[in-house]
Each structure stands twice: as structure tokens, then as C-alpha cells.
Amino acid sequence: MAVVHNTTMEPTKLELLAHWLPQQRWYHGAGAPVLRKAGGFRLDDPAGEVGIEFMIVIDETADPVAAYHVPMTYRGEPVAGAEAALIGTSEHGVLGTRWIYDGAADEVLLEQAAALLTGKAQAQAQNASDAIDPTVEVATAPDRPLTVRVNRTPRDQRPAAALGYVTAPWQAGDVTARGVLLEAVA
């Protein structure tokens, strides 16, 4: 089960994302965002080497407020050839230097997302160790080779053409929203 350390990160994930997010082609804000963590979940790496998190952040400068889905992996060493997917590095209070990558480009995250979509993995709580997240819903895909599609802007409609999908909630002000974060496609 995922271990969540109650410690500091310098810079924080939100600080790293505030610099990284506006550089992405799917970012539709204007200027520097003001981000707030609004939801998400974790998955386990069976090898125990890579932290896997699916984070939903809210850009509070957008009108209306915009939600973004940013899957991330946390590694103890840089990945050769993955410089384009690097969000940044951070000093973790327990684990030391962490290289934080865009999970949509990380095979470990994509393999575990496929395992979630086919019922072979369970979503873990984002902020608690050894806890299943009951708010994550999975429409299970057939157990066969598939491609995982990451929705950067969570969709509020179920995909008709997907073999399976994952939805999760997030908090936007006083409103709890739910959307499709991952889809299984052939």
C-alpha cells in the first residue's frame, strides 16, 4: 500500500506545478496560475520504487475556476532520456531529493493505470498511508492490451467509445465535482 509521509517538500508540488503548468499546450489559463490541490488519489508501484499520484489542481485565477488533472511520479534518481517530462526536483523531508515527472510520460504510472482500469490494482487515498480510496470509481475494461488516455481537464461526461474509465471527485469552492481522469482505449 502507498506510504504517505507527513513531511515537507521544498519546493512544494504546487510551487513546481505553478511554473510547469503554463508551459503545457493543454493549459488554457492566462499568465501564472494560483493553484490549490483539490483532489486525487495514488497507486502503488509493485516494485516499491516509484511514487505514483494523480492530482487534481484548481487554478483560482481562472474565471470560471479551472481544474487540471496532473498525474505525477516521484523518483529517487533522474530517468535518462526523460528530461522533457521532468516537472522539477524537490527536497523531501524523509526521502531526500525527488525527481518529479509528468506521469503521462512514465511507463510505471501507465502500467499501473492500466492495472487499475482492468481491476488488477486499487486506488489508494491521496493523503493517508495504507488506505483504499472509496471515492474513486472504475468502469473496468476487458483484461487485454490497452492504451491509457489521460484527460488533463477532467471530463464530466462518461466516454462512449472507451473500453473503461476512472472517475474521481475534487472540491471546487463549495462544490464537489466528479470527472473522468483516465480512459482505456484499444
Side-chain angles (χ1 to χ4, degrees), residues 85-137:
L86 182 66
I87 294 172
T89 60
S90 183
E91 288 301 316
H92 189 279
V94 174
L95 302 173
T97 303
R98 298 285 98 183
W99 281 260
I100 303 172
Y101 289 94
D102 177 8
D106 191 314
E107 285 303 314
V108 172
L109 180 139
L110 294 173
E111 288 171 8
Q112 291 313 300
L116 177 65
L117 283 158
T118 57
K120 295 178 185 171
Q122 291 185 302
Q124 305 293 310
Q126 188 176 34
N127 300 314
S129 295
D130 301 325
I132 301 297
D133 187 334
T135 67
V136 176
E137 296 176 359

Side-chain angles (χ1 to χ4, degrees), residues 23-108:
Q23 301 170 33
Q24 308 313 303
R25 62 176 173 68
W26 40 268
Y27 176 70
H28 52 267
V34 174
L35 300 177
R36 180 176 55 80
K37 182 173 155 182
F41 62 96
R42 293 180 178 272
L43 290 176
D44 287 330
D45 169 17
E49 295 295 320
V50 179
I52 302 171
E53 182 175 12
F54 297 83
M55 184 183 288
I56 302 166
V57 295
I58 298 293
D59 178 2
E60 296 181 330
T61 63
D63 187 22
V65 170
Y68 295 99
H69 171 220
V70 185
M72 293 180 281
T73 55
Y74 309 99
R75 294 175 170 269
E77 297 179 0
V79 177
E83 295 79 12
L86 182 66
I87 294 172
T89 60
S90 183
E91 288 301 316
H92 189 279
V94 174
L95 302 173
T97 303
R98 298 285 98 183
W99 281 260
I100 303 172
Y101 289 94
D102 177 8
D106 191 314
E107 285 303 314
V108 172

Side-chain angles (χ1 to χ4, degrees), residues 137-139 151 155-162 164-168 177-183:
E137 296 176 359
V138 180
N151 294 330
R155 296 183 186 184
D156 55 357
Q157 295 184 348
R158 308 300 193 257
Y165 56 88
V166 174
T167 68
R178 174 175 286 279
V180 177
L181 304 182
L182 303 169
E183 297 176 33

